[in-house]
Every structure is written in C-alpha cells, then in structure tokens.
Amino acid sequence: MTPFLAQIVFLIGVFGWGAIRIPHEIKNKRKNRIEVSQADRQEKVLLFVSLTGLGILPIAYCLSASLRRVLAFADLPFSAAVASLGVLVFAGALALFLATHRQLGRNWSQTLELREGHTLVTHGVYRLVRHPMYTAFFLWGLAQLLLLQNWVVGPAGLIGFGTLYAFRVGREERMMHEAFGAAYEAYVAQTKRIIPFVH
Ligand code: SAH
C-alpha cells in the first residue's frame, strides 16, 4: 500500500457509496410523499458541513496534486499497515450502508422527514442500534483518517459528520417519538444509538 493507492481506494469507496445511494435517491423521489419535514436552515448547514468533511475536501485532495502540495505541511509519515486497516473499515462501512438502505427502504430521507405511510424499522441492523446509517458514516470517517494520512484531510470526515450527528440525532429521535409514541419508547429501551451495547 502506498499513499497513491490509498487515495485510489478512498475514491473507489466514495464511488461505491454513490452506487448504493443514488438508486434510492431516484426511487424515493417518485410517488413517495413527505408528510412531516424539519428540513430547516440548520439541517441544510449541517448537511453541507458533513458533505465538505466526508466528500468535497478528501475527494479534491485525492484528485488534485496542487491541493496535496498546499496541504503537504500536514502530512504524517505514511504507514501501509494503517492504510490497509482503512480498506477493511471502508468495506465494512459500505456493507453496513447497503444493509441500512435495504432495511429502511422507502422510509429513508437525506434529512429530517417522515413519509406517507412511514413505518418504524426495528429489524435487521436496526435491532443492533437505532442509527446504523450514522454508524456507517462514522466508519467512513474512520477509514478516511486511516487512508489519507494527513492531519487536515484525515480527520475532516469525523469532524464534519460528527457535527451533523451531534446536532441532529436528538431532533431525529424526538420526531420519531412524536410519530410512533410508545413503540419508539420501547425501541429506545432495547437499543443503543450507534455502538451496540455501548452508546
Ligand atoms: N438515523 C437512521 C436513519 C437515517 S436516514 C440511521 O442512522 O440508520 C434519516 C431518516 O430516517 C429520518 O428522517 C427518519 O424519517 C428515518 N428514520 C430514522 N430511524 C428510523 C427507523 N427506525 N425506522 C424508520 N425510519 C427511520
């Protein structure tokens, strides 16, 4: 593993993520009405912060030699073993991401929304944690840290997504609680948020 290969792996991971998400994005736009929306300015800013940290900055870093030169001051000594671990973590993130999309089905939204006929999903990976898709994004951020060994670009994903998560998760749970009442309370009592049995 070399820094160049690690950058290629990161780009392949992003491509894989798009291949999983884009079909859901298209399907969900068709005949799938939104009944409750909390997609306010705060949500838009948070989505942008997360997109920058997990996507725009690291993709630009992998594609642009001049950006890599500008950020060379923050390069860390490259460890092939650490980068190889990053490959495994990214693969795990994508597998989990695929499972969450399959299991959420038409209930999925990019932002805080409830759809017509929304159901509470508690099966599959949703038995393990309440927010497995967010777990998958944290794993992506971790993979980015391990693959792109630069102290500006590496942690940007965890910081960007961490910000979205911190401000969103409580609101999302309140919205789900308002919609599903006692069923959601029982679900909360049985599960943790993003790490099984821990948090
Ligand atoms: N937080 C979840 C879902 C992310 S997508 C996860 O990490 O896996 C965000 C949308 O999913 C929210 O707007 C909400 O409408 C919906 N949602 C969240 N948890 C859900 C659940 N258990 N069942 C059905 N829909 C859910």
Side-chain angles (χ1 to χ4, degrees):
M1 182 69 72
T2 63
F4 175 70
L5 259 182
Q7 288 157 20
I8 300 286
V9 167
F10 184 81
L11 291 174
I12 292 173
V14 173
F15 192 81
W17 175 84
I20 296 168
R21 168 144 290 180
I22 290 165
H24 284 274
E25 197 107 50
I26 295 168
K27 234 191 286 172
N28 267 21
K29 282 219 169 97
R30 279 191 239 130
K31 54 178 180 142
N32 198 356
R33 264 199 29 225
I34 292 158
E35 281 199 331
V36 175
S37 177
Q38 295 187 11
D40 51 14
R41 238 217 355 248
Q42 174 180 316
E43 264 294 296
K44 285 187 189 130
V45 172
L46 289 174
L47 279 167
F48 180 72
V49 169
S50 174
L51 182 71
T52 304
L54 282 174
I56 297 170
L57 178 65
I59 292 170
Y61 179 83
C62 292
L63 293 178
S64 156
S66 38
L67 182 59
R68 285 199 297 280
R69 268 196 301 278
V70 170
L71 293 175
F73 72 91
D75 279 347
L76 298 161
F78 186 76
S79 159
V82 168
S84 305
L85 189 62
V87 180
L88 294 182
V89 174
F90 216 144
L94 290 183
L96 183 58
F97 191 65
L98 180 64
T100 59
H101 260 305
R102 289 214 169 131
Q103 286 153 13
L104 263 189
R106 58 183 295 284
N107 299 304
W108 172 74
S109 282
Q110 197 185 52
T111 180
L112 293 178
E113 288 169 349
L114 290 169
R115 296 183 178 272
E116 195 175 43
H118 204 108
T119 55
L120 176 63
V121 176
T122 59
H123 65 276
V125 286
Y126 285 84
R127 276 165 84 104
L128 300 174
V129 282
R130 300 199 286 284
H131 304 288
M133 192 176 284
Y134 298 160
T135 307
F137 279 116
F138 275 117
L139 289 175
W140 167 332
L142 181 61
Q144 179 176 330
L145 182 71
L146 300 173
L147 286 166
L148 307 180
Q149 298 175 16
N150 173 290
W151 58 259
V152 172
V153 180
L158 286 176
I159 294 169
F161 185 72
T163 308
L164 178 138
Y165 175 80
F167 285 94
R168 181 194 270 184
V169 72
R171 288 184 74 190
E172 180 170 329
E173 293 194 339
R174 277 194 294 282
M175 181 184 81
M176 296 301 286
H177 188 218
E178 271 166 36
F180 295 100
Y184 196 68
E185 271 167 41
Y187 180 48
V188 169
Q190 280 165 17
T191 49
K192 297 280 184 185
R193 275 180 166 163
I194 52 172
I195 306 171
F197 312 112
V198 178
H199 170 76

